[in-house]
């Protein structure tokens, strides 16, 4: 499982405050702890700072870099911030995210190629969100083909089925799971990722819902996720699900985690 | 989700002791608590008593019956015990279990029809266990057809893909999940069930593995399970997974469980 640690995100109050106060120690501690907990990439998002996002993002990246060598995921709605971020991020960065919206796609693909970045490919086009899950799959399918045609290696493409709250429609859970499964079937070389915390929006005990959803998605072929790696039960659920999905030979990663005390208190 | 509560099983030391000592209060308390926690059936197994299984089973059934009206699941490797059990069990009983082994099949089908019981249909035939998961599916498929031909209503058939420990082969988890999915696709009217605790045999933190596996199986269409209904996190995982699978309109069961305090302490 490839993991993007999601915690350094300015839309979270604590992070916004730390960035405004230039509290480098707070940000650096989060970067270190996420990497130590198993994050393969550390996400950095300054999107809450509309007018000076680029400046804030540069400070955040430089701050994280002083503390950790973990590769970064540059997370922004604004192409200018993504460009500035990728320039600073160094090797093996993630572009989070591209969509099939024409303007966004055309602006970001050259950056993707220039920096040889991996990319979260969100299933969304210019017609906007839809309830029709077949349409969501078709958009993902088209986006994969377009990225491949433009020279992005399949194993750099991480398709996200655009997770929406299951509290608003019962179809959003199973529908997203089926999209993950269809991509596994039809595009074996690309990765599947979920920015999954949206799934539980509006429900009580959101962590439980997120943990259960990630296990279900792993059954369908999910092989990466944007999560809170400091949630021990989330990490334990992923380890157990990977063993059950036949992706952990002799359950060695699961058993090792238990020996290291990482499954403490898990009943 | 239809739930068989598995706790009154004589292969568990405490139960064996309670039956030997005719400790009716202990057995009755377990029956009541399982039904209150959401078990639709209470399993009764006297299989550990080889020589006097029938007598012990009769005592267990009568004892449970004094405490609870919950329908029973009669669980035995021996047809004589199953017959005695079904005779006493009353309406809506479960026969746990039939297989495609010829002798067992021919002996049990008449009982199934006589008592109009539901049945756990285990994917096992006279050729014994196999590593070939396509073969396991084929046995399940053949058993479903044979039961239907013999007059068992499809919605009384609960297919169990014969869960084996994922610690012994990485294929046993994902293989069983795929069988559940194939039955969902090809036999829409029959139920899928798992006696799932075998999946975690030999691993640490077995409850965690069981909880994660049930969520993955629900993604594939599992609609019933033989579990410990007194494990609050197992019940919570099932509720969350059902909401995520689109089987809980407006997430009402999940939200109600939270209001009733049943998700207490879940992250």
């Amino acid at each position: 499982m490839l993991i993007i640690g999601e915690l350094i995100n300015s839309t979270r109050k604590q992070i916004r405050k730390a960035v405004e106060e230039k509290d480098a120690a707070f940000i650096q501690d989060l970067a270190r702890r996420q990497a130590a907990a198993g994050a393969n990439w550390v996400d950095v998002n300054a999107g809450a700072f509309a007018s000076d996002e680029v400046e804030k993002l540069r400070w955040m990246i430089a701050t994280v870099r002083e503390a950790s060598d973990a590769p970064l995921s540059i997370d922004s709605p604004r192409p200018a911030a993504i460009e500035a971020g990728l320039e600073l991020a160094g090797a093996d960065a993630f572009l989070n995210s591209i969509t099939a919206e024409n303007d966004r796609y055309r602006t970001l693909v050259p950056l993707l190629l220039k920096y040889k970045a991996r990319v979260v490919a969100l299933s969304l086009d210019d017609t906007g969100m839809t309830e029709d899950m077949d349409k969501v799959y078709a958009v993902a399918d088209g986006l994969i083909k377009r990225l491949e045609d433009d020279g992005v290696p399949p194993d750099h493409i991480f398709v996200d089925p655009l997770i929406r709250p299951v509290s608003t429609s019962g179809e959003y859970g199973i529908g997203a799971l089926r999209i993950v499964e269809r991509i596994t079937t039809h595009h074996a070389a690309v990765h599947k990722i979920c920015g999954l915390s949206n799934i539980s929006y509006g429900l009580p005990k959101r962590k439980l819902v997120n943990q259960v959803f990630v296990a279900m998605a792993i059954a369908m072929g999910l092989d990466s996720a944007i999560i809170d790696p400091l949630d021990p039960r989330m990490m334990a659920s992923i380890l157990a699900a990977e063993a059950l999905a036949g992706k952990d030979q002799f359950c060695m990663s699961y058993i090792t985690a238990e020996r290291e005390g990482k499954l403490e208190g898990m009943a």
Side-chain angles (χ1 to χ4, degrees), chain A residues 100-121:
Chain A
E101 297 161 302
N102 265 316
D103 284 353
R104 185 170 179 88
Y105 184 90
R106 282 199 215 101
T107 310
L108 293 180
V109 156
L111 299 176
L112 198 49
L113 296 170
K114 178 175 174 189
Y115 293 102
K116 301 187 198 314
R118 289 171 178 78
V119 65
V120 177

